[in-house]
Amino acid sequence: MKLPIALILGLSALGAAAEPADTATVDSTKTFIFTDVINIPSTSVKDQNKSGTCWCFAGTSFYEDEIRKNGGDSLDLSEMFTVRNCYRDKAERFVRMYGQTNFAAGGSALDVPYVWKRYGAVPEEVYSGLQYGEDKHVHGELDAVLAAYLKEIVKKPNKKLSKAWMKGIEGILDAYLGPVPETFEYKGKTYTPKTFAESLPLNPDDYVPLTSFMHHPYYEAFAVEVPDNWLWEKYYNVPLDELKAIVDNSLAKGHTIVWAADVSEGGFKWNKGVALMPKGKSESDMDGTELSRWVKLSDKERQNNKYEFEGPVEEIVVTPEMRQEMFDSQETTDDHGMEITGTATDQKGNRYYKVKNSWDTNQVYDGYFYVSEPYFLAKTMDILVHRDAIPKEIAKKLGLK
């Protein structure tokens, strides 16, 4: 169906570079009807497959979309170039810390600008990272080999570190992902990874990481305490309502957002293309028949029942205190990196964020899904946005203006 003229004019007044959708999207069960309101054009959905590199797929997709927004070409940038450089630097840090820090496949969206500034970037066609007989990324063996190698290195069997151990890391990475090219040809020009990155209309210093937790002061920056933040990068801390305001303002201005979140909740239904935080039933909500069945259920069955939904349901009201408790108890965990590309409503008028994932397109919305506002408020770990997307009054509090 067509959007109301008033809504289209309202979006134009916000200056959205985003494109209003003109059709409703219906899932295969006909029970959720989503209408896109803001739908920012994005590059194609990629597949991280069997690799723990969601952080890189999300950050790279975000950069591709920002390059296009800034007038550049629609590019397919190499995720594995970034991953390889992070593996190497993580290994070095792990050894320098005597093995007393995290070494794993996971990372942060801030690892993408970290590599961009230090090592550059390359197109996917130059560096696919598929040097080991697979058509898609399968990193189980690579991760196991790297971890086992480093475990032995930090034991220092020679009583001190040799000058060869880093060559071993490089050899493993070359074998699986391929050597990094010193120069390459692209569209008739010769580049190094650094000169290629410098040729693109994107400045990594234009992007601001943000989060919202109560165990640190607001309007200051702190390192989010999760293992995959191996660089101990700092995020600006803002109140929860302001975090949401930043996301809404960013989308209205046509900027997507990198979104790190917990996707382990029962209300995260990837195959249905939706993520909710259901309130769940109480005895006062039920008639006699329902109540008689309810009282016979175990606590586990009642909990599972909360997440059995086929369409929109009432959701919890998320407060900063509730969000903090979920983080402190580690009920909210740092699971997954994605890209927010728009907003939508369901048939009952509930508001959602449209999210681009990196789990291929063999899913009801071709690799996208819809996240309710309560889910976003409860389960967001952190975000990365363009500095111009932050409302001026909030930017001033953060000392960014």
Side-chain angles (χ1 to χ4, degrees), residues 266-314:
F268 181 89
K269 306 287 189 182
W270 168 244
N271 289 330
K272 289 184 178 181
V274 66
L276 305 179
M277 291 294 290
K279 183 178 180 182
K281 293 181 179 180
S282 66
E283 293 184 5
S284 61
D285 298 327
M286 303 177 200
D287 60 27
T289 304
E290 286 181 310
L291 183 58
S292 63
R293 185 180 71 85
W294 180 260
V295 296
K296 296 178 182 178
L297 298 178
S298 67
D299 289 344
K300 183 178 180 180
E301 288 171 329
R302 291 180 184 180
Q303 181 68 9
N304 290 339
N305 182 270
K306 183 169 78 169
Y307 299 114
E308 293 176 1
F309 54 82
E310 296 297 332
V313 295
E314 185 179 3

Short mmCIF file of all heavy atoms in Angstrom, two decimals, residues 266-314:
data_model
loop_
_atom_site.label_atom_id
_atom_site.label_comp_id
_atom_site.label_asym_id
_atom_site.label_seq_id
_atom_site.Cartn_x
_atom_site.Cartn_y
_atom_site.Cartn_z
N GLY A 266 14.94 -15.37 23.86
CA GLY A 266 13.89 -16.21 23.28
C GLY A 266 13.03 -15.47 22.29
O GLY A 266 12.43 -16.08 21.40
N GLY A 267 12.96 -14.15 22.41
CA GLY A 267 12.15 -13.35 21.50
C GLY A 267 12.84 -13.00 20.20
O GLY A 267 12.25 -12.35 19.34
N PHE A 268 14.10 -13.44 20.03
CA PHE A 268 14.82 -13.22 18.78
C PHE A 268 14.49 -14.38 17.85
O PHE A 268 14.93 -15.50 18.04
CB PHE A 268 16.33 -13.15 19.03
CG PHE A 268 17.13 -12.90 17.79
CD1 PHE A 268 17.39 -11.60 17.37
CD2 PHE A 268 17.64 -13.95 17.04
CE1 PHE A 268 18.13 -11.37 16.21
CE2 PHE A 268 18.37 -13.73 15.90
CZ PHE A 268 18.63 -12.43 15.47
N LYS A 269 13.65 -14.11 16.84
CA LYS A 269 13.16 -15.14 15.93
C LYS A 269 13.69 -14.85 14.52
O LYS A 269 13.01 -14.22 13.70
CB LYS A 269 11.62 -15.16 15.93
CG LYS A 269 10.97 -15.30 17.31
CD LYS A 269 11.11 -16.71 17.86
CE LYS A 269 10.27 -16.89 19.12
NZ LYS A 269 10.43 -18.23 19.72
N TRP A 270 14.90 -15.33 14.24
CA TRP A 270 15.52 -15.02 12.95
C TRP A 270 14.70 -15.54 11.78
O TRP A 270 14.48 -14.81 10.80
CB TRP A 270 16.93 -15.61 12.92
CG TRP A 270 17.57 -15.61 11.57
CD1 TRP A 270 17.95 -16.67 10.82
CD2 TRP A 270 17.91 -14.45 10.79
NE1 TRP A 270 18.50 -16.27 9.64
CE2 TRP A 270 18.49 -14.91 9.58
CE3 TRP A 270 17.78 -13.08 10.99
CZ2 TRP A 270 18.94 -14.04 8.58
CZ3 TRP A 270 18.22 -12.21 9.99
CH2 TRP A 270 18.79 -12.69 8.81
N ASN A 271 14.22 -16.75 11.84
CA ASN A 271 13.49 -17.31 10.72
C ASN A 271 12.16 -16.62 10.48
O ASN A 271 11.65 -16.61 9.35
CB ASN A 271 13.27 -18.82 10.91
CG ASN A 271 14.56 -19.60 10.77
OD1 ASN A 271 15.45 -19.20 10.03
ND2 ASN A 271 14.65 -20.72 11.46
N LYS A 272 11.60 -16.02 11.53
CA LYS A 272 10.38 -15.24 11.36
C LYS A 272 10.68 -13.79 11.01
O LYS A 272 9.77 -13.01 10.71
CB LYS A 272 9.54 -15.28 12.64
CG LYS A 272 8.89 -16.62 12.92
CD LYS A 272 8.01 -16.55 14.16
CE LYS A 272 7.32 -17.88 14.40
NZ LYS A 272 6.43 -17.83 15.60
N GLY A 273 11.96 -13.40 11.12
CA GLY A 273 12.35 -12.04 10.75
C GLY A 273 11.96 -10.99 11.75
O GLY A 273 11.72 -9.84 11.38
N VAL A 274 11.92 -11.35 13.05
CA VAL A 274 11.47 -10.39 14.05
C VAL A 274 12.16 -10.66 15.38
O VAL A 274 12.55 -11.80 15.68
CB VAL A 274 9.93 -10.47 14.22
CG1 VAL A 274 9.50 -11.80 14.80
CG2 VAL A 274 9.39 -9.31 15.03
N ALA A 275 12.33 -9.61 16.17
CA ALA A 275 12.86 -9.73 17.53
C ALA A 275 12.00 -8.89 18.46
O ALA A 275 11.84 -7.67 18.24
CB ALA A 275 14.32 -9.26 17.59
N LEU A 276 11.44 -9.53 19.48
CA LEU A 276 10.55 -8.87 20.44
C LEU A 276 11.00 -9.15 21.86
O LEU A 276 11.74 -10.10 22.12
CB LEU A 276 9.11 -9.38 20.29
CG LEU A 276 8.42 -9.32 18.93
CD1 LEU A 276 7.01 -9.91 19.07
CD2 LEU A 276 8.35 -7.91 18.40
N MET A 277 10.50 -8.33 22.80
CA MET A 277 10.66 -8.57 24.23
C MET A 277 9.26 -8.74 24.84
O MET A 277 8.71 -7.81 25.44
CB MET A 277 11.40 -7.41 24.90
CG MET A 277 12.86 -7.29 24.51
SD MET A 277 13.87 -8.68 25.07
CE MET A 277 13.90 -8.39 26.84
N PRO A 278 8.65 -9.90 24.67
CA PRO A 278 7.26 -10.08 25.12
C PRO A 278 7.11 -9.90 26.63
O PRO A 278 7.97 -10.30 27.41
CB PRO A 278 6.94 -11.53 24.71
CG PRO A 278 7.96 -11.88 23.68
CD PRO A 278 9.19 -11.11 24.05
N LYS A 279 6.00 -9.32 27.00
CA LYS A 279 5.70 -9.14 28.41
C LYS A 279 5.34 -10.46 29.07
O LYS A 279 5.67 -10.72 30.23
CB LYS A 279 4.55 -8.15 28.58
CG LYS A 279 4.21 -7.84 30.02
CD LYS A 279 3.08 -6.82 30.10
CE LYS A 279 2.72 -6.51 31.55
NZ LYS A 279 1.60 -5.54 31.64
N GLY A 280 4.67 -11.33 28.34
CA GLY A 280 4.24 -12.61 28.92
C GLY A 280 2.89 -12.47 29.62
O GLY A 280 2.49 -11.39 30.03
N LYS A 281 2.22 -13.58 29.76
CA LYS A 281 0.89 -13.58 30.38
C LYS A 281 0.99 -13.60 31.90
O LYS A 281 1.94 -14.11 32.47
CB LYS A 281 0.10 -14.80 29.91
CG LYS A 281 -0.27 -14.80 28.44
CD LYS A 281 -1.07 -16.04 28.09
CE LYS A 281 -1.47 -16.04 26.62
NZ LYS A 281 -2.25 -17.26 26.28
N SER A 282 -0.03 -13.05 32.54
CA SER A 282 -0.20 -13.21 33.98
C SER A 282 -1.57 -13.84 34.21
O SER A 282 -2.41 -13.88 33.32
CB SER A 282 -0.11 -11.85 34.69
OG SER A 282 -1.21 -11.02 34.31
N GLU A 283 -1.79 -14.33 35.42
CA GLU A 283 -3.04 -15.02 35.70
C GLU A 283 -4.25 -14.11 35.52
O GLU A 283 -5.34 -14.55 35.14
CB GLU A 283 -3.01 -15.60 37.11
CG GLU A 283 -1.98 -16.71 37.26
CD GLU A 283 -2.00 -17.36 38.64
OE1 GLU A 283 -2.88 -16.99 39.44
OE2 GLU A 283 -1.15 -18.22 38.90
N SER A 284 -4.04 -12.82 35.75
CA SER A 284 -5.16 -11.88 35.61
C SER A 284 -5.56 -11.68 34.15
O SER A 284 -6.64 -11.17 33.87
CB SER A 284 -4.79 -10.53 36.23
OG SER A 284 -3.68 -9.96 35.58
N ASP A 285 -4.68 -12.08 33.20
CA ASP A 285 -4.98 -11.91 31.78
C ASP A 285 -5.83 -13.04 31.22
O ASP A 285 -6.28 -12.97 30.08
CB ASP A 285 -3.67 -11.86 30.96
CG ASP A 285 -2.79 -10.68 31.34
OD1 ASP A 285 -3.35 -9.63 31.70
OD2 ASP A 285 -1.55 -10.82 31.28
N MET A 286 -6.04 -14.10 31.98
CA MET A 286 -6.61 -15.33 31.42
C MET A 286 -8.04 -15.58 31.87
O MET A 286 -8.44 -15.20 32.96
CB MET A 286 -5.74 -16.53 31.84
CG MET A 286 -4.30 -16.40 31.43
SD MET A 286 -3.34 -17.79 32.04
CE MET A 286 -1.70 -17.06 31.95
N ASP A 287 -8.77 -16.25 30.96
CA ASP A 287 -10.10 -16.71 31.35
C ASP A 287 -9.96 -18.07 32.06
O ASP A 287 -8.84 -18.59 32.22
CB ASP A 287 -11.03 -16.80 30.14
CG ASP A 287 -10.53 -17.78 29.07
OD1 ASP A 287 -9.80 -18.73 29.42
OD2 ASP A 287 -10.87 -17.59 27.89
N GLY A 288 -11.06 -18.66 32.44
CA GLY A 288 -11.02 -19.88 33.24
C GLY A 288 -10.30 -21.03 32.57
O GLY A 288 -9.51 -21.75 33.19
N THR A 289 -10.57 -21.23 31.26
CA THR A 289 -9.94 -22.34 30.54
C THR A 289 -8.44 -22.15 30.44
O THR A 289 -7.65 -23.08 30.69
CB THR A 289 -10.55 -22.47 29.13
OG1 THR A 289 -11.96 -22.63 29.23
CG2 THR A 289 -9.94 -23.65 28.39
N GLU A 290 -8.03 -20.94 30.08
CA GLU A 290 -6.60 -20.66 29.97
C GLU A 290 -5.91 -20.81 31.31
O GLU A 290 -4.82 -21.37 31.42
CB GLU A 290 -6.38 -19.23 29.45
CG GLU A 290 -6.67 -19.02 27.98
CD GLU A 290 -6.39 -17.59 27.57
OE1 GLU A 290 -6.88 -16.67 28.26
OE2 GLU A 290 -5.68 -17.40 26.57
N LEU A 291 -6.55 -20.32 32.36
CA LEU A 291 -5.94 -20.35 33.69
C LEU A 291 -5.76 -21.80 34.17
O LEU A 291 -4.72 -22.14 34.75
CB LEU A 291 -6.80 -19.57 34.68
CG LEU A 291 -6.25 -19.47 36.11
CD1 LEU A 291 -4.87 -18.82 36.11
CD2 LEU A 291 -7.22 -18.67 36.99
N SER A 292 -6.73 -22.64 33.91
CA SER A 292 -6.61 -24.02 34.35
C SER A 292 -5.45 -24.74 33.66
O SER A 292 -4.80 -25.60 34.24
CB SER A 292 -7.93 -24.77 34.09
OG SER A 292 -8.19 -24.83 32.69
N ARG A 293 -5.21 -24.39 32.41
CA ARG A 293 -4.06 -24.97 31.70
C ARG A 293 -2.75 -24.38 32.21
O ARG A 293 -1.75 -25.07 32.39
CB ARG A 293 -4.20 -24.72 30.20
CG ARG A 293 -3.12 -25.39 29.35
CD ARG A 293 -3.30 -25.09 27.87
NE ARG A 293 -3.00 -23.71 27.57
CZ ARG A 293 -1.76 -23.26 27.30
NH1 ARG A 293 -0.72 -24.09 27.36
NH2 ARG A 293 -1.57 -22.00 27.01
N TRP A 294 -2.78 -23.07 32.47
CA TRP A 294 -1.58 -22.34 32.87
C TRP A 294 -1.00 -22.87 34.20
O TRP A 294 0.20 -23.05 34.34
CB TRP A 294 -1.92 -20.85 32.99
CG TRP A 294 -0.78 -19.96 33.40
CD1 TRP A 294 -0.54 -19.46 34.64
CD2 TRP A 294 0.25 -19.45 32.57
NE1 TRP A 294 0.57 -18.66 34.64
CE2 TRP A 294 1.09 -18.63 33.38
CE3 TRP A 294 0.56 -19.58 31.23
CZ2 TRP A 294 2.20 -17.96 32.88
CZ3 TRP A 294 1.67 -18.90 30.72
CH2 TRP A 294 2.47 -18.12 31.55
N VAL A 295 -1.87 -23.11 35.16
CA VAL A 295 -1.39 -23.51 36.49
C VAL A 295 -0.74 -24.89 36.47
O VAL A 295 -0.01 -25.25 37.40
CB VAL A 295 -2.54 -23.48 37.53
CG1 VAL A 295 -3.06 -22.07 37.70
CG2 VAL A 295 -3.67 -24.43 37.14
N LYS A 296 -1.00 -25.67 35.42
CA LYS A 296 -0.39 -27.00 35.33
C LYS A 296 0.99 -26.98 34.67
O LYS A 296 1.67 -28.01 34.64
CB LYS A 296 -1.32 -27.93 34.53
CG LYS A 296 -2.66 -28.19 35.21
CD LYS A 296 -3.55 -29.06 34.35
CE LYS A 296 -4.90 -29.28 35.02
NZ LYS A 296 -5.81 -30.10 34.18
N LEU A 297 1.38 -25.84 34.15
CA LEU A 297 2.67 -25.75 33.47
C LEU A 297 3.80 -25.58 34.48
O LEU A 297 3.63 -24.97 35.53
CB LEU A 297 2.69 -24.55 32.51
CG LEU A 297 1.69 -24.57 31.35
CD1 LEU A 297 1.81 -23.29 30.54
CD2 LEU A 297 1.90 -25.78 30.45
N SER A 298 4.98 -26.12 34.14
CA SER A 298 6.16 -25.89 34.96
C SER A 298 6.66 -24.47 34.74
O SER A 298 6.24 -23.78 33.79
CB SER A 298 7.26 -26.88 34.58
OG SER A 298 7.74 -26.61 33.26
N ASP A 299 7.58 -24.03 35.61
CA ASP A 299 8.15 -22.69 35.44
C ASP A 299 8.83 -22.55 34.08
O ASP A 299 8.73 -21.52 33.42
CB ASP A 299 9.16 -22.39 36.57
CG ASP A 299 8.48 -22.20 37.91
OD1 ASP A 299 7.25 -21.99 37.93
OD2 ASP A 299 9.18 -22.27 38.94
N LYS A 300 9.54 -23.60 33.66
CA LYS A 300 10.23 -23.56 32.37
C LYS A 300 9.23 -23.47 31.24
O LYS A 300 9.42 -22.71 30.28
CB LYS A 300 11.10 -24.81 32.20
CG LYS A 300 11.90 -24.81 30.91
CD LYS A 300 12.80 -26.04 30.81
CE LYS A 300 13.59 -26.02 29.51
NZ LYS A 300 14.48 -27.21 29.39
N GLU A 301 8.14 -24.22 31.34
CA GLU A 301 7.11 -24.18 30.30
C GLU A 301 6.44 -22.81 30.24
O GLU A 301 6.13 -22.30 29.15
CB GLU A 301 6.07 -25.26 30.56
CG GLU A 301 6.58 -26.67 30.28
CD GLU A 301 5.62 -27.74 30.75
OE1 GLU A 301 4.89 -27.50 31.76
OE2 GLU A 301 5.60 -28.82 30.14
N ARG A 302 6.23 -22.20 31.40
CA ARG A 302 5.64 -20.85 31.41
C ARG A 302 6.58 -19.83 30.76
O ARG A 302 6.15 -18.94 30.04
CB ARG A 302 5.32 -20.42 32.84
CG ARG A 302 4.19 -21.19 33.47
CD ARG A 302 3.91 -20.73 34.89
NE ARG A 302 2.87 -21.53 35.52
CZ ARG A 302 2.44 -21.34 36.75
NH1 ARG A 302 2.96 -20.37 37.49
NH2 ARG A 302 1.48 -22.10 37.25
N GLN A 303 7.89 -19.98 31.03
CA GLN A 303 8.87 -19.07 30.44
C GLN A 303 8.91 -19.24 28.92
O GLN A 303 8.93 -18.27 28.17
CB GLN A 303 10.26 -19.35 31.03
CG GLN A 303 11.37 -18.44 30.51
CD GLN A 303 11.21 -16.99 30.94
OE1 GLN A 303 10.36 -16.67 31.78
NE2 GLN A 303 12.01 -16.12 30.37
N ASN A 304 8.91 -20.50 28.48
CA ASN A 304 8.92 -20.76 27.04
C ASN A 304 7.65 -20.25 26.37
O ASN A 304 7.68 -19.77 25.23
CB ASN A 304 9.07 -22.25 26.77
CG ASN A 304 10.45 -22.78 27.11
OD1 ASN A 304 11.41 -22.01 27.19
ND2 ASN A 304 10.56 -24.09 27.32
N ASN A 305 6.53 -20.34 27.10
CA ASN A 305 5.25 -19.89 26.56
C ASN A 305 5.30 -18.39 26.21
O ASN A 305 4.65 -17.94 25.26
CB ASN A 305 4.14 -20.18 27.57
CG ASN A 305 2.78 -19.78 27.06
OD1 ASN A 305 2.33 -18.66 27.27
ND2 ASN A 305 2.11 -20.73 26.40
N LYS A 306 6.08 -17.65 26.97
CA LYS A 306 6.19 -16.21 26.74
C LYS A 306 6.71 -15.90 25.34
O LYS A 306 6.39 -14.88 24.74
CB LYS A 306 7.11 -15.59 27.79
CG LYS A 306 7.23 -14.08 27.69
CD LYS A 306 7.93 -13.48 28.90
CE LYS A 306 9.42 -13.64 28.85
NZ LYS A 306 10.10 -12.84 29.90
N TYR A 307 7.53 -16.82 24.83
CA TYR A 307 8.17 -16.57 23.53
C TYR A 307 7.49 -17.30 22.38
O TYR A 307 8.02 -17.37 21.28
CB TYR A 307 9.65 -16.97 23.60
CG TYR A 307 10.41 -16.18 24.63
CD1 TYR A 307 10.95 -16.80 25.76
CD2 TYR A 307 10.58 -14.80 24.49
CE1 TYR A 307 11.65 -16.07 26.71
CE2 TYR A 307 11.27 -14.07 25.44
CZ TYR A 307 11.80 -14.72 26.55
OH TYR A 307 12.47 -13.98 27.50
N GLU A 308 6.29 -17.83 22.65
CA GLU A 308 5.51 -18.46 21.58
C GLU A 308 4.54 -17.43 21.03
O GLU A 308 3.44 -17.24 21.54
CB GLU A 308 4.76 -19.68 22.13
CG GLU A 308 5.67 -20.82 22.54
CD GLU A 308 4.91 -21.97 23.17
OE1 GLU A 308 3.66 -21.87 23.27
OE2 GLU A 308 5.54 -22.95 23.60
N PHE A 309 4.96 -16.72 19.99
CA PHE A 309 4.09 -15.71 19.39
C PHE A 309 4.12 -15.87 17.88
O PHE A 309 5.13 -16.25 17.29
CB PHE A 309 4.50 -14.30 19.81
CG PHE A 309 5.94 -13.96 19.55
CD1 PHE A 309 6.37 -13.54 18.29
CD2 PHE A 309 6.89 -14.05 20.56
CE1 PHE A 309 7.69 -13.22 18.06
CE2 PHE A 309 8.23 -13.73 20.34
CZ PHE A 309 8.62 -13.31 19.07
N GLU A 310 3.00 -15.56 17.26
CA GLU A 310 2.88 -15.62 15.80
C GLU A 310 2.63 -14.24 15.20
O GLU A 310 2.63 -14.09 13.98
CB GLU A 310 1.75 -16.57 15.39
CG GLU A 310 2.00 -18.02 15.78
CD GLU A 310 3.22 -18.62 15.10
OE1 GLU A 310 3.56 -18.17 13.98
OE2 GLU A 310 3.85 -19.52 15.68
N GLY A 311 2.40 -13.27 16.05
CA GLY A 311 2.15 -11.92 15.59
C GLY A 311 2.50 -10.94 16.70
O GLY A 311 3.08 -11.32 17.72
N PRO A 312 2.18 -9.65 16.53
CA PRO A 312 2.49 -8.66 17.55
C PRO A 312 1.88 -9.01 18.90
O PRO A 312 0.74 -9.48 18.98
CB PRO A 312 1.86 -7.38 16.98
CG PRO A 312 1.80 -7.60 15.51
CD PRO A 312 1.53 -9.06 15.34
N VAL A 313 2.67 -8.80 19.96
CA VAL A 313 2.21 -9.05 21.33
C VAL A 313 2.63 -7.87 22.21
O VAL A 313 3.48 -7.07 21.82
CB VAL A 313 2.80 -10.36 21.91
CG1 VAL A 313 2.31 -11.57 21.15
CG2 VAL A 313 4.33 -10.31 21.91
N GLU A 314 2.02 -7.79 23.38
CA GLU A 314 2.42 -6.75 24.32
C GLU A 314 3.85 -7.01 24.80
O GLU A 314 4.21 -8.14 25.11
CB GLU A 314 1.47 -6.72 25.51
CG GLU A 314 1.75 -5.55 26.47
CD GLU A 314 0.80 -5.50 27.64
OE1 GLU A 314 -0.07 -6.40 27.75
OE2 GLU A 314 0.92 -4.56 28.46
#
